[in-house]
């Protein structure tokens, strides 16, 4: 077999492959055997018809088609290995020549992993917020604990922020009732922002028995993105009374005997949380600086795949109704064109992150142990409320285990960069985060992403781009989450092909089908 490679761009190559028919003899043997078993020819038992009889009865083109379909994926793989390129996604294959008895020629265009020059890790310097815990922080934590033991007492006054109210709600769009927005006797904490936009502002100042109307934009359901007229009626008003913060409360709410001991414990716990938040901030800012300093050519097919996945996820929230999505986007003060542009930008950032962290992982020899992979799987299973066995089964069915492995590897690669970078606090003094970023970038068995409540990151999906579409050290679906399906730029496609041969001319039309596509979420 002879093959040549032409670099069409930093991210795309064209392979030209020529295979002598002598190399295809095993393929012809298998093809004749398979076809003989599928047809019935008088005078021959099933599977025993000789090759020349099959050629006479069925035509040489049938055999050639079977041979080409089987041979091209294997020969494509050999050509890729010889060219020492790393394919990304599915190749576009074209059979250019079939000279029966002589040679098979075809070309394959495919996106490839680009050459990337990684910036010097030590040159990266970022600043993070202070992790010191103030007395005010401790007081806030104590008030939160008091609130858990508070009691609700009815009051005869206007509603204030922080009150608990029982309300009736109804909504109409263009005069028609919105069924999913009708409710009675609902309990709600004013100021929590847990219900529809504008409700908390409308409630403040109302009294029991009063009704008020206001306008809001619905964000879900059949009328998502449209303005609705909402009517709210207050049935009752209650305020939360907090227990006195003293030694007796400390004994009630904790294992400590005194309030001072409880406060010391709250300070210690919150210091640990702020430390992990500081670590998350360092990770995100280091990643941002790393991406800004690196020049990463982006394979268009991989980017486009990520764009399509994200667009699908967006419209899925609106029952795949593009018009509803557009209405919602416009209700948020953004045009659909701006939304689409932003979506593509985040997709490009996600792919750039994947490629860069994969390169760093390759250069530094990052390895993922079985235990690390299982820890990620168990953590994700807990996040989504399923057993590890069920999560693994779902990941296998969605072909996601490779993407989970890649996420863990990228997280470890980023931890390597964070360790080498200079991290300073607001005062300019170095911040030591070594206890947070081991080689696995873990904190007490948890990834830094999981240790802080809520995703701090990409994605797919949040504040910082990740390697799945979304989250760097997080797994599929993190905030990004199992939520399906960004393109994993690390997996080369191994194509199978379907070829229809014109028996009269010996030419062929090829359509690549069934090439595996790795996704970043489950």
């Amino acid at each position: 077999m002879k093959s040549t490679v032409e670099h069409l761009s930093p991210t795309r190559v064209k392979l030209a492959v020529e295979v002598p028919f002598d190399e295809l003899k095993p393929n012809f043997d298998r093809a004749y055997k398979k076809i003989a078993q599928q047809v019935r020819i008088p005078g021959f038992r099933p599977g025993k018809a000789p090759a020349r009889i099959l050629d006479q009865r069925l035509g040489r083109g049938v055999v050639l088609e079977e041979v080409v379909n089987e041979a091209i994926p294997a020969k494509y793989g050999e050509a890729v290995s010889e060219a020492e390129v790393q394919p990304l996604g599915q190749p576009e294959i074209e059979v250019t020549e079939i000279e029966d008895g002589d040679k098979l020629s075809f070309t394959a265009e495919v996106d490839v992993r680009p050459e990337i020059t990684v910036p010097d890790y030590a040159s990266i310097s970022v600043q993070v917020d202070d992790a010191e815990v103030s007395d005010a922080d401790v007081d806030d934590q104590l008030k939160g604990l008091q609130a858990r033991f508070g009691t609700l007492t009815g009051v005869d006054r206007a509603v204030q922020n922080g009150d608990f109210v029982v309300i009736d709600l109804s909504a109409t769009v263009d005069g028609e009732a919105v069924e999913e927005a009708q409710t009675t006797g609902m309990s709600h904490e004013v100021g929590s922002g847990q219900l529809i936009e504008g409700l908390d502002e409308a409630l403040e100042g109302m009294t029991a028995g009063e009704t008020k109307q206001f306008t809001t934009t619905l964000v879900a359901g059949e009328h998502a993105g449209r303005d609705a007229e909402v009517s709210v009626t207050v049935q009752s008003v209650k305020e939360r009374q907090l227990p006195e913060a003293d030694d007796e409360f400390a004994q009630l709410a904790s294992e400590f005997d005194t309030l001072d001991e409880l406060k010391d414990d709250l300070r210690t716990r919150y210091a640990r949380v702020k430390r992990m938040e500081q670590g998350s901030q360092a990770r995100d800012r280091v990643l941002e600086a790393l991406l800004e300093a690196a020049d990463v050519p982006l394979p268009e097919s991989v980017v486009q795949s990520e764009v399509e996945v994200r667009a699908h996820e967006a419209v899925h929230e609106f029952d795949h109704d593009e018009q509803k999505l557009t209405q919602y986007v416009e209700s948020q003060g953004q045009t659909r064109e701006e939304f689409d542009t932003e979506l593509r930008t985040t997709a490009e950032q996600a792919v750039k992150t994947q490629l860069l962290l994969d390169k760093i992982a390759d250069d530094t020899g990052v390895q993922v142990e079985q235990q690390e992979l299982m820890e990620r799987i168990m953590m994700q299973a807990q996040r989504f409320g399923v057993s590890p066995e069920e999560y693994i089964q779902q990941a296998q069915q969605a072909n996601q285990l490779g993407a989970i492995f890649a996420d863990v590897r990228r997280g470890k690669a980023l931890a390597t960069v964070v360790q080498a970078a200079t991290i300073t606090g607001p005062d300019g003094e170095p911040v030591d985060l070594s206890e947070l970023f081991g080689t696995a970038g873990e904190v007490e068995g948890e990834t830094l992403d999981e240790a802080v409540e809520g995703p701090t990151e990409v994605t797919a999906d949040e504040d910082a781009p990740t390697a799945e579409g979304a989250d760097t050290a997080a797994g599929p679906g993190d905030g990004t989450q199992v939520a399906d399906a960004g393109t994993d730029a690390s997996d080369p496609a191994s194509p199978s092909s379907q070829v229809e041969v014109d028996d009269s001319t010996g030419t062929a039309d090829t359509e690549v089908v069934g090439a595996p596509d790795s996704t970043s979420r489950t």
Side-chain angles (χ1 to χ4, degrees), residues 475-489:
D478 252 355
T480 205
Q481 311 327 344
V482 185
D484 350 344
T487 301
D488 186 344

PDB file of all heavy atoms in Angstrom, residues 475-489:
ATOM      1  N   GLY A 475     -16.958  16.312  35.555  1.00  0.00           N
ATOM      2  CA  GLY A 475     -17.291  15.245  34.638  1.00  0.00           C
ATOM      3  C   GLY A 475     -18.423  15.603  33.752  1.00  0.00           C
ATOM      4  O   GLY A 475     -18.833  16.728  33.701  1.00  0.00           O
ATOM      5  N   PRO A 476     -18.937  14.651  32.997  1.00  0.00           N
ATOM      6  CA  PRO A 476     -19.997  14.943  32.079  1.00  0.00           C
ATOM      7  C   PRO A 476     -21.166  15.501  32.797  1.00  0.00           C
ATOM      8  O   PRO A 476     -21.590  14.958  33.776  1.00  0.00           O
ATOM      9  CB  PRO A 476     -20.330  13.600  31.509  1.00  0.00           C
ATOM     10  CG  PRO A 476     -19.435  12.647  32.155  1.00  0.00           C
ATOM     11  CD  PRO A 476     -18.534  13.335  33.067  1.00  0.00           C
ATOM     12  N   GLY A 477     -21.658  16.507  32.228  1.00  0.00           N
ATOM     13  CA  GLY A 477     -22.863  17.014  32.801  1.00  0.00           C
ATOM     14  C   GLY A 477     -22.703  17.965  33.886  1.00  0.00           C
ATOM     15  O   GLY A 477     -23.620  18.527  34.405  1.00  0.00           O
ATOM     16  N   ASP A 478     -21.550  18.343  34.350  1.00  0.00           N
ATOM     17  CA  ASP A 478     -21.363  19.181  35.466  1.00  0.00           C
ATOM     18  C   ASP A 478     -21.990  20.498  35.276  1.00  0.00           C
ATOM     19  O   ASP A 478     -21.508  21.325  34.671  1.00  0.00           O
ATOM     20  CB  ASP A 478     -19.912  19.498  35.541  1.00  0.00           C
ATOM     21  CG  ASP A 478     -19.341  18.807  36.656  1.00  0.00           C
ATOM     22  OD1 ASP A 478     -20.046  18.207  37.365  1.00  0.00           O
ATOM     23  OD2 ASP A 478     -18.201  18.869  36.813  1.00  0.00           O
ATOM     24  N   GLY A 479     -22.799  20.939  35.820  1.00  0.00           N
ATOM     25  CA  GLY A 479     -23.165  22.277  35.580  1.00  0.00           C
ATOM     26  C   GLY A 479     -23.228  22.461  34.187  1.00  0.00           C
ATOM     27  O   GLY A 479     -23.940  23.154  33.698  1.00  0.00           O
ATOM     28  N   THR A 480     -22.363  21.761  34.079  1.00  0.00           N
ATOM     29  CA  THR A 480     -22.185  21.185  32.893  1.00  0.00           C
ATOM     30  C   THR A 480     -22.603  19.981  33.238  1.00  0.00           C
ATOM     31  O   THR A 480     -22.855  19.518  33.623  1.00  0.00           O
ATOM     32  CB  THR A 480     -21.125  21.129  32.234  1.00  0.00           C
ATOM     33  OG1 THR A 480     -20.846  21.047  31.399  1.00  0.00           O
ATOM     34  CG2 THR A 480     -20.534  21.237  32.100  1.00  0.00           C
ATOM     35  N   GLN A 481     -22.668  19.274  33.086  1.00  0.00           N
ATOM     36  CA  GLN A 481     -23.237  18.111  33.502  1.00  0.00           C
ATOM     37  C   GLN A 481     -23.432  17.061  32.673  1.00  0.00           C
ATOM     38  O   GLN A 481     -22.998  17.196  31.854  1.00  0.00           O
ATOM     39  CB  GLN A 481     -24.221  18.625  33.609  1.00  0.00           C
ATOM     40  CG  GLN A 481     -23.426  19.407  34.225  1.00  0.00           C
ATOM     41  CD  GLN A 481     -22.730  19.604  34.710  1.00  0.00           C
ATOM     42  OE1 GLN A 481     -22.551  19.309  34.910  1.00  0.00           O
ATOM     43  NE2 GLN A 481     -22.147  19.599  34.954  1.00  0.00           N
ATOM     44  N   VAL A 482     -24.575  15.483  33.055  1.00  0.00           N
ATOM     45  CA  VAL A 482     -24.672  14.303  32.265  1.00  0.00           C
ATOM     46  C   VAL A 482     -25.606  14.627  31.269  1.00  0.00           C
ATOM     47  O   VAL A 482     -26.014  13.969  30.503  1.00  0.00           O
ATOM     48  CB  VAL A 482     -25.196  13.149  33.011  1.00  0.00           C
ATOM     49  CG1 VAL A 482     -25.189  11.889  32.232  1.00  0.00           C
ATOM     50  CG2 VAL A 482     -24.350  12.902  34.189  1.00  0.00           C
ATOM     51  N   ALA A 483     -25.480  15.610  31.217  1.00  0.00           N
ATOM     52  CA  ALA A 483     -26.279  16.270  30.421  1.00  0.00           C
ATOM     53  C   ALA A 483     -25.896  16.270  29.139  1.00  0.00           C
ATOM     54  O   ALA A 483     -26.100  17.205  28.674  1.00  0.00           O
ATOM     55  CB  ALA A 483     -26.101  17.515  30.529  1.00  0.00           C
ATOM     56  N   ASP A 484     -25.132  15.416  28.651  1.00  0.00           N
ATOM     57  CA  ASP A 484     -25.136  15.197  27.309  1.00  0.00           C
ATOM     58  C   ASP A 484     -24.349  16.061  26.609  1.00  0.00           C
ATOM     59  O   ASP A 484     -24.044  16.817  27.066  1.00  0.00           O
ATOM     60  CB  ASP A 484     -26.281  15.454  26.829  1.00  0.00           C
ATOM     61  CG  ASP A 484     -26.736  15.555  28.010  1.00  0.00           C
ATOM     62  OD1 ASP A 484     -26.546  15.415  28.359  1.00  0.00           O
ATOM     63  OD2 ASP A 484     -26.998  15.773  28.666  1.00  0.00           O
ATOM     64  N   ALA A 485     -24.064  16.383  25.661  1.00  0.00           N
ATOM     65  CA  ALA A 485     -23.321  15.850  24.704  1.00  0.00           C
ATOM     66  C   ALA A 485     -22.543  16.764  23.917  1.00  0.00           C
ATOM     67  O   ALA A 485     -22.847  17.097  22.838  1.00  0.00           O
ATOM     68  CB  ALA A 485     -24.190  15.114  23.867  1.00  0.00           C
ATOM     69  N   GLY A 486     -21.401  17.160  24.485  1.00  0.00           N
ATOM     70  CA  GLY A 486     -20.500  17.944  23.707  1.00  0.00           C
ATOM     71  C   GLY A 486     -19.533  17.036  23.000  1.00  0.00           C
ATOM     72  O   GLY A 486     -19.402  15.915  23.376  1.00  0.00           O
ATOM     73  N   THR A 487     -18.873  17.493  22.009  1.00  0.00           N
ATOM     74  CA  THR A 487     -17.958  16.644  21.263  1.00  0.00           C
ATOM     75  C   THR A 487     -16.635  16.541  21.999  1.00  0.00           C
ATOM     76  O   THR A 487     -16.086  17.522  22.432  1.00  0.00           O
ATOM     77  CB  THR A 487     -17.712  17.249  19.883  1.00  0.00           C
ATOM     78  OG1 THR A 487     -18.951  17.358  19.222  1.00  0.00           O
ATOM     79  CG2 THR A 487     -16.777  16.384  19.073  1.00  0.00           C
ATOM     80  N   ASP A 488     -16.125  15.324  22.132  1.00  0.00           N
ATOM     81  CA  ASP A 488     -14.817  15.135  22.728  1.00  0.00           C
ATOM     82  C   ASP A 488     -13.782  15.129  21.616  1.00  0.00           C
ATOM     83  O   ASP A 488     -13.754  14.224  20.802  1.00  0.00           O
ATOM     84  CB  ASP A 488     -14.802  13.814  23.492  1.00  0.00           C
ATOM     85  CG  ASP A 488     -13.511  13.630  24.263  1.00  0.00           C
ATOM     86  OD1 ASP A 488     -12.558  14.364  23.959  1.00  0.00           O
ATOM     87  OD2 ASP A 488     -13.465  12.766  25.139  1.00  0.00           O
ATOM     88  N   ALA A 489     -12.946  16.123  21.596  1.00  0.00           N
ATOM     89  CA  ALA A 489     -11.993  16.263  20.503  1.00  0.00           C
ATOM     90  C   ALA A 489     -10.854  15.264  20.585  1.00  0.00           C
ATOM     91  O   ALA A 489      -9.956  15.274  19.759  1.00  0.00           O
ATOM     92  CB  ALA A 489     -11.415  17.678  20.494  1.00  0.00           C
TER      93      ALA A 489
END
